[in-house]
Amino acid sequence: MTDSVKYLLAEDQMPKAWYNLAADLPVPLPPPLHPGTGQPLGPDDLAPIFPMAVIAQEMTTERWVDIPEPVREVYRLWRPSPLVRARRLEKALDTPARIYFKYEGVSPAGSHKPNTAVPQAFYNKQEGVKRLSTETGAGQWGSSLAFAGSLFGLEVEVFMVKISYNQKPYRRALMETYGARCIASPSPLTNAGRAVLEKSPDSNGSLGIAISEAVEVAAGCDDTKYALGSVLNHVCLHQTVIGEEAMVQMEMAGDSPDVVIACTGGGSNFAGLAFPYIRENLKGAKVRIVAVEPASCPTLTRGRYAYDFGDTGHLTPLVKMHTLGSTFMPPGSHSGGLRYHGMAPMVSHVKELGLCDAKSYAQTECFAAAVQFARAEGIVPAPESSHAVKGAIDEALACKAEGKGRTILFNLSGHGHFDMQAYTDFFSGKLRDPDFAADELEAALGALPKVG
Amino acid sequence: MTDSVKYLLAEDQMPKAWYNLAADLPVPLPPPLHPGTGQPLGPDDLAPIFPMAVIAQEMTTERWVDIPEPVREVYRLWRPSPLVRARRLEKALDTPARIYFKYEGVSPAGSHKPNTAVPQAFYNKQEGVKRLSTETGAGQWGSSLAFAGSLFGLEVEVFMVKISYNQKPYRRALMETYGARCIASPSPLTNAGRAVLEKSPDSNGSLGIAISEAVEVAAGCDDTKYALGSVLNHVCLHQTVIGEEAMVQMEMAGDSPDVVIACTGGGSNFAGLAFPYIRENLKGAKVRIVAVEPASCPTLTRGRYAYDFGDTGHLTPLVKMHTLGSTFMPPGSHSGGLRYHGMAPMVSHVKELGLCDAKSYAQTECFAAAVQFARAEGIVPAPESSHAVKGAIDEALACKAEGKGRTILFNLSGHGHFDMQAYTDFFSGKLRDPDFAADELEAALGALPKVG
């Protein structure tokens, strides 16, 4: 066999439980704090915006959390997802490395996001919630929650950052096809939105504003809850189906990874692939774990590990994480899903404990890697996922230089079908690597809240 | 189990041979004729534009044609494709019918087209061809050939109908990502293109003009051949992997179809699913076979069965098929892949022999069906495929009215990720059902060539 080959699991090999790294952490995770009192948050503090089952998962230290059968039934629409040995890419790189990727773009919404959108919709439905509110930047998360809502009969209201709403009408059309209502943020529908519009009627919006609007809607309606697509513990938990499946598939392939690579924005796709491997490392395995992030939003590589707000409007709890400062505005890029000032607290904690490495890449080198990948393997990566592709290719080229045949596993978290403008810009030479304002980072870090 | 469920085959269950319906036809297919002499075409007449292996497949009456191992290796990137029991859709329709769909949108280019693009690229590469030229309308075929070319190291030059070139920049970006060169047609690169531009500098182009340009390039260069994405016998042959897989999967499901439904433009995705079932019907099975086409381009339901040209420029051989007349210009629609005046001669022949039925639908009712499907099953259908979805839903509703639980199998030939403008137009109420000019049809049929 000289060609790329995929390893498929039978449906009954799909994991029956999510893995919770909190059960195995050598040092417990610092708790989230109430922004008013500075005290650790209790379940009641979160009850206005999340269903109890989700709050319980956010706080549990149980090692395994059962996946409800109705969630597994929906997962079966696309899971188990394929693991592919990328022999064509290996050949194109002329590397002795063995490159595998786990492909999450087979989901209906085209990324890993439905892995958590589906259980979140399920738990909300079970607790009698009628409507979910959320925010979305590039639209991957919004379309995933719209998809999940359509399956469980929940209304979904998505506050989409206005510049994306206007620039990405096709992501919006996808959400509407799934029956969701998509609102440009800032909107006149909320106090938070109106306050912004009063000051800046032409505001392009930001993820921070959109979060404030979505949380306000959920907090103000009894039948409405809020859903978040990354960062939180329960989101990382739900994504571990990726890594659990990958482990079984690597066994099928008769191989095991020396290095595991995933991109990080809020941290959930990285957590999904990496946390099961970190568990094995804590038991003695020696897999190198690498988080790859954009040089324009280098949370793990240049941020500070400190308590900070999750949003720019300072409505959320304080969480301990790597942060560029909630007032830092990352420059525009085509990887909207990685453009977040903070990081999943659990991923940050893992990094602090030395359980993973982090590196950053500029977007043009990631697009060049994505094009090389597409021409070898046929799949066009999402701009976010292209960071993991670049990380894997770099590692494979290092193997070549050293004459060593390491095994590389990376997470191809989604396809780029709704991001082709980015490829058009890349081919036309319009794509630039945004300058990184080190002085603005200094200012934002100086303005971090004084707690923890 | 109450939920939608997919039936997956192991890779070694992928067909090892394509099925050729020509071996089993009770009446042989009328031969293609040389447009100058009116005599049946020989292999030498096609040699300037097709490789010999492809010409042999175009003319063979062998029942089974082996799939070369290098082609099967590429197929493995996405094949076997899933068969899904659409229980969620059944529930939404409250029908006693059992609905299954075969999903071809899992291919890298997002439709069934790579099933033939890959072998065509392989055979050309084997015969020393350096470059392939082709035309594309909506872009499904062009991107599939671009994908196949990238895997076999062939240059690909795609003449894209100018109005689509301008309206669908993302399909173009996809072709460029795979390394193909995409040219707006009419172009100044060919005699055919220059002739049109001289008369009409602002011409929007047409599939007929683009075919002429692509054929001219292939005929004029020793190292270049032409590739066609539908209509011809070898294309229908390559697509039969769809139906052969579906048969095994229906057995896995412990069921068998009473009715098989697919949309028809040039006819290849219909042939792919239906021909294996027609073989079984010829041996005594009683599966109803239904071809579904757009009311705006009703080749099988309102066309004439006669010898006609395959292109508007009258450069191709004459083939016997259902045709609206090569001078008939179908009104614009969002189903560019179904907007062709003719039909695969083998599909037409099957229709004439009474081995299949045909019906037509307007595009707005197809989009309504597609949205209902997306909200139930998560997959957003391509506008072309939405015709099959509408056909299946209608059949399921007929079952409900009759209180009968028939088994329906349809081909979901591709996803709509690159067609979201059509959905946007549908939701905004901008989508109209183009008027059908019956008088223009009469005129075009009156102008059919006098042969055969």
Side-chain angles (χ1 to χ4, degrees):
Chain A
M1 175 119 17
T2 58
D3 215 314
S4 294
V5 56
K6 61 184 189 310
Y7 296 92
L8 295 174
L9 298 177
E11 287 189 356
D12 58 9
Q13 291 176 288
M14 194 169 67
K16 294 190 172 53
W18 293 298
Y19 167 64
N20 183 12
L21 182 60
D24 292 314
L25 286 171
V27 179
L29 196 65
L33 304 180
H34 191 288
T37 65
Q39 294 301 304
L41 227 57
D44 291 349
D45 296 313
L46 296 172
I49 58 167
F50 292 118
M52 291 314 295
V54 164
I55 295 170
Q57 291 185 353
E58 184 64 21
M59 303 193 161
T60 184
T61 53
E62 288 291 312
R63 184 168 290 113
W64 297 100
V65 175
D66 284 347
I67 306 176
E69 188 48 35
V71 171
R72 297 183 80 235
E73 285 193 351
V74 178
Y75 276 178
R76 284 191 195 100
L77 290 177
W78 74 96
R79 305 210 70 85
S81 70
L83 179 93
V84 181
R85 166 86 185 267
R87 283 187 188 260
R88 289 179 180 274
L89 179 64
E90 292 169 17
K91 200 175 157 196
L93 297 170
D94 188 25
T95 174
R98 294 178 300 282
I99 307 175
Y100 296 82
F101 64 92
K102 179 74 169 163
Y103 183 41
E104 291 293 309
V106 292
S107 82
S111 78
H112 65 295
K113 294 283 183 186
N115 294 334
T116 185
V118 170
Q120 289 195 53
F122 166 75
Y123 291 121
N124 275 284
K125 180 73 179 179
Q126 234 190 0
E127 296 186 24
V129 173
K130 301 275 181 249
R131 191 167 64 141
L132 292 176
S133 70
T134 196
E135 73 290 324
T136 200
Q140 293 267 19
W141 167 243
S143 50
S144 298
L145 195 68
F147 157 67
S150 80
L151 297 185
F152 288 104
L154 287 162
E155 286 178 50
V156 174
E157 212 164 271
V158 182
F159 289 89
M160 187 171 187
V161 176
K162 193 181 275 173
I163 191 166
S164 297
Y165 182 92
N166 291 327
Q167 283 177 348
K168 294 184 176 251
Y170 297 156
R171 270 279 171 203
R172 177 160 40 108
L174 181 58
M175 292 182 235
E176 288 170 355
T177 300
Y178 289 138
R181 184 177 174 212
C182 193
I183 301 149
S185 167
S187 81
L189 302 180
T190 64
N191 292 329
R194 282 189 293 270
V196 174
L197 288 173
E198 208 164 292
K199 276 195 206 162
S200 335
D202 298 327
S203 166
N204 274 328
S206 75
L207 212 45
I209 298 165
I211 293 177
S212 302
E213 292 204 88
V215 169
E216 183 184 323
V217 165
C221 301
D222 276 351
D223 63 354
T224 304
K225 298 281 182 194
Y226 170 72
L228 190 65
S230 190
V231 179
L232 297 178
N233 299 345
H234 66 274
V235 180
C236 294
L237 175 80
H238 298 155
Q239 294 295 351
T240 57
V241 287
I242 302 171
E244 295 300 333
E245 285 181 6
M247 276 188 176
V248 180
Q249 289 164 311
M250 288 300 301
E251 261 183 53
M252 280 173 75
D255 209 340
S256 84
D258 297 301
V259 53
V260 164
I261 298 170
C263 66
T264 44
S268 74
N269 107 78
F270 170 82
L273 181 63
F275 282 6
Y277 283 101
I278 291 176
R279 174 187 70 225
E280 298 307 310
N281 279 350
L282 290 168
K283 291 192 279 187
K286 295 200 183 308
V287 180
R288 190 152 47 91
I289 312 280
V290 184
V292 185
E293 62 184 11
S296 61
C297 191
T299 318
L300 285 169
T301 51
R302 296 179 68 173
R304 187 173 299 166
Y305 185 55
Y307 271 101
D308 196 7
F309 291 97
D311 67 334
T312 52
H314 296 185
L315 296 174
T316 69
L318 292 163
V319 290
K320 196 153 187 190
M321 60 182 178
H322 288 87
T323 178
L324 302 168
S326 64
T327 56
F328 180 79
M329 182 61 72
S333 86
H334 276 293
S335 295
L338 305 184
R339 206 169 148 262
Y340 181 62
H341 72 274
M343 180 53 59
M346 214 183 266
V347 172
S348 286
H349 189 61
V350 155
K351 171 73 164 56
E352 277 303 292
L353 295 175
L355 300 174
C356 77
D357 296 335
K359 61 199 297 186
S360 71
Y361 289 111
Q363 72 173 341
T364 50
E365 58 187 343
C366 292
F367 273 98
V371 169
Q372 184 170 30
F373 180 83
R375 289 181 187 175
E377 299 293 329
I379 301 169
V380 180
E384 290 84 357
S385 318
S386 75
H387 289 74
V389 174
K390 171 65 178 164
I393 288 180
D394 259 23
E395 183 69 28
L397 293 176
C399 288
K400 184 179 176 179
E402 299 167 36
K404 282 192 181 161
R406 288 191 291 272
T407 297
I408 301 164
L409 167 63
F410 75 95
N411 196 15
L412 190 67
S413 54
H415 63 61
H417 299 175
F418 297 95
D419 305 283
M420 295 310 294
Q421 185 60 48
Y423 282 88
T424 302
D425 290 351
F426 176 68
F427 288 124
S428 69
K430 273 189 212 154
L431 203 69
R432 287 185 55 255
D433 292 322
D435 290 329
F436 185 77
D439 49 341
E440 285 175 26
L441 173 61
E442 275 317 302
L445 291 177
L448 284 175
K450 309 286 178 250
V451 280
Chain B
M1 172 116 23
T2 59
D3 215 315
S4 294
V5 54
K6 61 185 192 303
Y7 296 92
L8 294 174
L9 299 177
E11 287 188 358
D12 59 8
Q13 291 175 288
M14 193 168 69
K16 294 190 173 53
W18 294 298
Y19 168 63
N20 183 13
L21 181 62
D24 292 314
L25 285 171
V27 180
L29 195 67
L33 304 179
H34 192 285
T37 65
Q39 292 303 304
L41 227 57
D44 290 348
D45 296 312
L46 297 172
I49 58 168
F50 292 117
M52 290 315 293
V54 164
I55 295 170
Q57 291 185 351
E58 183 63 20
M59 304 194 160
T60 184
T61 53
E62 288 291 312
R63 183 168 289 113
W64 297 100
V65 176
D66 284 345
I67 307 177
E69 189 49 35
V71 171
R72 297 183 81 236
E73 285 194 350
V74 177
Y75 276 178
R76 283 191 195 100
L77 289 177
W78 73 96
R79 302 209 74 85
S81 70
L83 179 93
V84 181
R85 166 86 185 267
R87 285 187 188 260
R88 291 179 178 274
L89 179 63
E90 293 168 17
K91 202 175 156 196
L93 296 169
D94 189 25
T95 175
R98 294 178 299 282
I99 307 175
Y100 297 82
F101 64 92
K102 179 74 170 163
Y103 184 41
E104 290 293 310
V106 292
S107 81
S111 78
H112 64 295
K113 295 283 182 186
N115 293 335
T116 185
V118 170
Q120 289 195 52
F122 167 74
Y123 291 122
N124 274 286
K125 180 72 181 183
Q126 232 189 3
E127 296 186 24
V129 174
K130 301 275 182 251
R131 189 168 63 143
L132 292 175
S133 70
T134 197
E135 71 290 325
T136 201
Q140 292 269 19
W141 168 244
S143 49
S144 298
L145 195 68
F147 157 68
S150 79
L151 296 185
F152 288 103
L154 287 162
E155 285 177 52
V156 175
E157 210 163 272
V158 183
F159 290 89
M160 187 172 189
V161 177
K162 194 183 275 176
I163 190 165
S164 297
Y165 182 91
N166 291 326
Q167 284 178 348
K168 295 185 176 250
Y170 297 157
R171 269 282 169 200
R172 179 162 35 111
L174 182 59
M175 293 182 234
E176 289 170 353
T177 300
Y178 289 137
R181 183 178 175 208
C182 192
I183 300 149
S185 167
S187 82
L189 303 180
T190 65
N191 292 328
R194 282 188 293 270
V196 174
L197 288 173
E198 206 163 293
K199 277 195 206 161
S200 335
D202 299 327
S203 166
N204 275 328
S206 75
L207 213 43
I209 298 165
I211 292 177
S212 302
E213 291 203 88
V215 169
E216 183 185 324
V217 165
C221 301
D222 277 350
D223 62 355
T224 304
K225 298 283 182 192
Y226 170 71
L228 190 65
S230 191
V231 179
L232 297 178
N233 299 345
H234 67 274
V235 180
C236 294
L237 175 79
H238 298 155
Q239 293 295 352
T240 57
V241 286
I242 301 172
E244 295 299 333
E245 285 182 5
M247 278 191 174
V248 181
Q249 288 165 310
M250 287 300 300
E251 261 183 53
M252 279 174 74
D255 208 339
S256 83
D258 298 301
V259 53
V260 164
I261 298 169
C263 65
T264 44
S268 74
N269 106 79
F270 170 82
L273 181 63
F275 282 6
Y277 282 100
I278 292 177
R279 173 187 71 225
E280 299 307 310
N281 279 351
L282 290 167
K283 290 192 278 185
K286 294 199 183 310
V287 180
R288 190 152 48 90
I289 312 279
V290 184
V292 185
E293 62 184 11
S296 61
C297 192
T299 320
L300 285 170
T301 52
R302 298 180 67 172
R304 186 174 297 166
Y305 186 56
Y307 271 101
D308 195 8
F309 291 98
D311 67 334
T312 50
H314 296 182
L315 296 174
T316 70
L318 292 162
V319 291
K320 196 156 187 190
M321 61 182 175
H322 288 87
T323 178
L324 302 169
S326 66
T327 56
F328 180 79
M329 181 63 70
S333 84
H334 277 293
S335 296
L338 305 183
R339 204 168 149 261
Y340 181 62
H341 72 274
M343 181 53 61
M346 214 184 266
V347 171
S348 287
H349 189 59
V350 155
K351 172 73 167 53
E352 277 302 292
L353 295 176
L355 300 174
C356 75
D357 297 334
K359 61 199 298 185
S360 72
Y361 290 110
Q363 71 174 343
T364 50
E365 56 186 346
C366 293
F367 273 98
V371 169
Q372 184 170 31
F373 180 83
R375 289 181 187 176
E377 299 293 330
I379 300 169
V380 179
E384 291 83 358
S385 318
S386 76
H387 290 73
V389 174
K390 171 65 178 163
I393 288 180
D394 259 24
E395 184 69 27
L397 293 177
C399 288
K400 182 179 177 177
E402 298 168 37
K404 283 191 180 161
R406 289 191 290 273
T407 297
I408 301 164
L409 167 63
F410 75 94
N411 195 15
L412 189 67
S413 53
H415 63 62
H417 297 175
F418 297 95
D419 304 283
M420 295 311 294
Q421 185 60 48
Y423 282 87
T424 301
D425 290 351
F426 176 68
F427 289 124
S428 68
K430 272 189 213 154
L431 203 70
R432 288 184 56 254
D433 292 322
D435 291 328
F436 184 76
D439 51 339
E440 285 176 27
L441 174 61
E442 274 318 300
L445 291 177
L448 284 175
K450 309 286 177 252
V451 281

